[in-house]
């Protein structure tokens, strides 16, 4: 029996709902995002590689993996080489804490929500280190922008995460999902729509998406902190961002939309997870198409003037409503 448990655990971590499944679904979500964003701009988007272009993200990944990996002579080599690997590792680690198949994640413990916040902070720091280690003018500016932007969105995002935790009485993502799916529970968004809006806004900045694509603004600083990355390193960075999209949508669903559960019990949890996360991905794409890029000073000052007070306000409102 021990070897069967070990084999099942290994399969869960490596295949389903682990690494292989997460990579596949992240590439699929990239395709959905690109197609929907293109339709909003009256374009076609990915079209030819695979049915309706569904294999285009995979083709892009393979193409980058096969390209020459160029390292400029002036870079900080250990740092430059470590950033792509660490980005991918942190994104996968964070996803193990998000419930995907049911009300429990692969890894669950009291306080794992705080651990998730810590991991997302490390991802923002790695973006800065990637630009700094490149020793390129555009990369350094992009890295500094990533660091400054994180100072704007991370505080309101962390405070808004606490709202569902207060409602569930737990700092565990799995237990928050379990509370929402219990007979006495309800989706956190019903009582805390303000927190949901703040989290969506903060995740746009975490993913470096328009209007918060300031760290990699191609019209200003080439590719920002990613300018000097190429080949395998750039492929790992792009894959890490795809996994972050799954993380952002999955965590939003877990905290505010009941996680991978729904009103029809016969539908498997993974189906509810995909349906709900796709809705969140479409919200991200819609906002990306609606707005233009903010300046870094507008982003940081706007976060501290509006998002931080609103995130504190939603905690106060929750405390009053839950009394």
């Amino acid at each position: 029996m021990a070897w069967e448990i070990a084999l099942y655990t290994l399969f869960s971590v490596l295949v389903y709902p682990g690494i292989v499944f997460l990579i596949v679904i992240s590439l699929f979500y990239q395709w959905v995002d690109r197609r929907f964003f293109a339709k909003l701009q009256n374009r076609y988007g990915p079209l030819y590689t695979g049915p309706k272009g569904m294999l285009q993200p995979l083709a892009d990944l393979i193409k980058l993996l096969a390209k020459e990996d160029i390292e400029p002579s002036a870079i900080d080599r250990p740092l430059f080489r470590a950033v792509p690997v660490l980005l991918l590792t942190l994104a996968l680690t964070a996803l193990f804490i998000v419930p995907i198949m049911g009300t429990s994640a692969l890894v669950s413990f009291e306080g794992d929500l705080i651990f998730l916040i810590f991991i997302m902070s490390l991802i923002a720091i790695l973006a800065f280190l990637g630009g700094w280690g490149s020793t390129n003018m555009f990369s350094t500016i992009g890295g500094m922008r990533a660091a400054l932007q994180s100072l704007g969105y991370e505080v309101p995002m962390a405070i808004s995460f606490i709202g569902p935790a207060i409602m569930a009485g737990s700092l565990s993502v799995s237990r928050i999902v379990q509370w929402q799916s219990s007979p006495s529970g309800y989706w956190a968004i019903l009582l805390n729509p303000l927190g949901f809006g703040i989290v969506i806004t903060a995740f746009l900045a975490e993913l470096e998406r328009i209007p918060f694509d300031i760290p990699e603004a191609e019209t200003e600083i080439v590719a920002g902190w990613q300018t000097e990355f190429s080949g395998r390193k750039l492929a790992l960075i792009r894959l890490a961002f795809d996994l972050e999209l799954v993380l952002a949508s999955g965590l939003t669903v877990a905290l505010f939309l009941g996680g991978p559960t729904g009103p029809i019990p016969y539908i498997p949890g993974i189906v509810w997870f995909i349906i709900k996360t796709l809705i969140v991905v479409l919200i991200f794409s819609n906002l990306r198409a609606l707005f233009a890029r903010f300046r870094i000073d507008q982003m940081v000052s706007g976060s501290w003037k509006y998002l931080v007070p609103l995130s504190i306000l939603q905690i106060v409102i929750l405390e009053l409503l839950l009394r």
Side-chain angles (χ1 to χ4, degrees):
M1 290 298 293
W3 68 269
E4 291 179 353
I5 295 174
L7 191 62
Y8 175 77
T9 303
L10 187 64
F11 178 82
S12 299
V13 171
L14 295 181
V15 183
Y16 177 78
I19 296 173
V20 174
F21 172 77
L22 291 172
I23 290 175
V24 170
I25 200 171
S26 70
L27 294 176
F28 172 66
Y29 282 12
Q30 184 200 137
W31 173 78
V32 171
D33 177 46
R34 289 169 65 176
R35 287 283 292 186
F36 186 67
F37 184 58
K39 290 297 182 182
L40 292 174
Q41 294 184 324
N42 199 25
R43 296 185 293 107
Y44 284 108
L47 187 62
Y48 298 110
T49 309
K52 301 292 185 179
M54 288 182 66
L55 296 180
Q56 188 61 55
L58 178 61
D60 292 341
L61 179 64
I62 295 173
K63 178 183 69 175
L64 281 175
L65 288 170
K67 281 186 173 293
E68 183 180 4
D69 195 349
I70 301 171
E71 292 185 349
S73 57
I75 61 169
D76 183 333
R77 271 187 172 72
L79 185 59
F80 191 78
R81 292 174 178 175
V83 164
V85 177
L86 290 175
L87 275 174
L88 185 61
T89 303
L90 288 174
L92 285 170
T93 302
L95 278 165
F96 285 166
I97 301 174
V98 178
I100 294 175
M101 295 175 58
T103 57
S104 294
L106 282 175
V107 178
S108 177
F109 54 90
E110 187 59 42
D112 57 22
L113 182 60
I114 304 300
F115 183 62
L116 268 176
I117 296 171
F118 172 69
I119 290 179
M120 287 187 283
S121 298
L122 287 181
I123 290 174
I125 293 171
L126 283 175
F128 164 73
L129 293 177
W132 190 265
S134 299
T135 63
N136 172 287
M137 178 179 65
F138 298 116
S139 300
T140 303
I141 294 173
M144 292 297 295
R145 286 183 176 187
L148 288 171
Q149 181 163 280
S150 69
L151 295 176
Y153 71 80
E154 284 196 352
V155 173
M157 179 174 68
I159 296 174
S160 297
F161 283 173
I162 301 302
I166 291 174
M167 297 167 71
S170 174
L171 285 172
S172 168
V173 178
S174 293
R175 290 184 182 178
I176 292 172
V177 172
Q178 290 164 11
W179 172 80
Q180 291 181 86
S181 59
S182 67
S184 60
Y186 44 86
W187 289 5
I189 190 175
L190 298 176
L191 204 61
N192 191 14
L194 180 58
F196 176 80
I198 294 171
V199 166
I200 290 290
T201 304
F203 270 134
L204 283 173
E206 173 79 23
L207 296 168
E208 297 180 4
R209 286 168 161 259
I210 297 172
F212 306 119
D213 64 331
I214 312 160
E216 50 183 84
E218 71 278 356
T219 54
E220 302 171 18
I221 49 176
V222 190
W225 67 271
Q226 302 179 37
T227 298
E228 295 291 1
F229 290 96
S230 60
R232 293 185 298 274
K233 296 184 184 65
L234 185 58
L236 293 180
I237 290 173
R238 295 287 176 84
L239 181 58
F241 271 99
D242 290 341
L243 289 167
E244 268 201 274
L245 178 60
V246 180
L247 173 62
S249 56
L251 188 55
T252 303
V253 165
L255 294 179
F256 291 94
L257 300 176
T261 60
I264 306 175
Y266 302 106
I267 297 179
I270 185 62
V271 176
W272 286 118
F273 177 82
I274 292 174
I275 291 172
K276 292 180 182 180
T277 50
L278 278 177
I279 292 172
V280 176
V281 168
L282 295 180
I283 292 173
F284 287 148
S285 300
N286 196 32
L287 293 174
R288 179 182 168 199
L290 281 174
F291 294 98
R293 180 186 305 133
F294 291 151
R295 298 195 312 266
I296 185 63
D297 62 302
Q298 291 174 326
M299 191 277 161
V300 176
S301 63
S303 294
W304 282 97
K305 285 180 180 177
Y306 304 109
L307 289 186
V308 171
L310 286 174
S311 63
I312 296 172
L313 176 64
Q314 57 99 20
I315 296 293
V316 174
I317 293 173
L318 271 179
E319 288 289 350
L320 295 174
L321 291 175
L322 294 173
R323 283 186 177 181

